[in-house]
Amino acid sequence: MNSGLSLVIAIPVGSAVFAGAVTYAVTDRNLKMRTRVAASLLSAFLVGATSLFVLYLSVFAFLVTMVGYLVMRRLFKPGLALAGSAVVLCGGLSFAVMLMVAALDRM
């Protein structure tokens, strides 16, 4: 296996594992186990799928979302904070993809 192909495989897998592990760790005491696992799997899937197109911006959008979640869970109930952070994550990932499309369009 050449190094280019292994890099194309390693970046999305690493991004997905990172996103899932951080989501699982951050939501430890606030949510039920089923909700924690579902949130972790969903964030891992979204960040991993987006990192196929936008290598590192998806991880940055995820980190911004986690900071937002940590702030929102102090202000609101955990379920509302999770829903708000899901909206922020989708918006951040969409913005990252649109930024890459604009960058590639101008080349």
Side-chain angles (χ1 to χ4, degrees):
M1 184 183 300
N2 66 20
S3 63
L5 182 61
S6 63
L7 189 64
V8 168
I9 293 171
I11 288 174
V13 170
S15 298
V17 168
F18 175 74
V22 169
T23 303
Y24 190 80
V26 167
T27 59
D28 60 350
R29 292 172 293 186
N30 299 331
L31 301 171
K32 296 178 184 175
M33 181 62 98
R34 178 178 280 174
T35 309
R36 281 176 66 191
V37 170
S40 299
L41 289 175
L42 185 62
S43 67
F45 173 73
L46 288 174
V47 171
T50 307
S51 67
L52 285 171
F53 306 107
V54 184
L55 296 179
Y56 298 108
L57 288 176
S58 59
V59 176
F60 180 70
F62 170 74
L63 291 175
V64 169
T65 301
M66 282 296 107
V67 170
Y69 172 75
L70 291 173
V71 171
M72 283 190 289
R73 81 174 179 189
R74 300 265 182 206
L75 302 173
F76 304 110
K77 294 179 182 179
L80 289 174
L82 186 64
S85 63
V87 170
V88 171
L89 179 63
C90 289
L93 294 177
S94 298
F95 178 74
V97 169
M98 295 304 275
L99 187 67
M100 185 58 75
V101 166
L104 291 174
D105 188 40
R106 299 201 191 275
M107 287 182 112

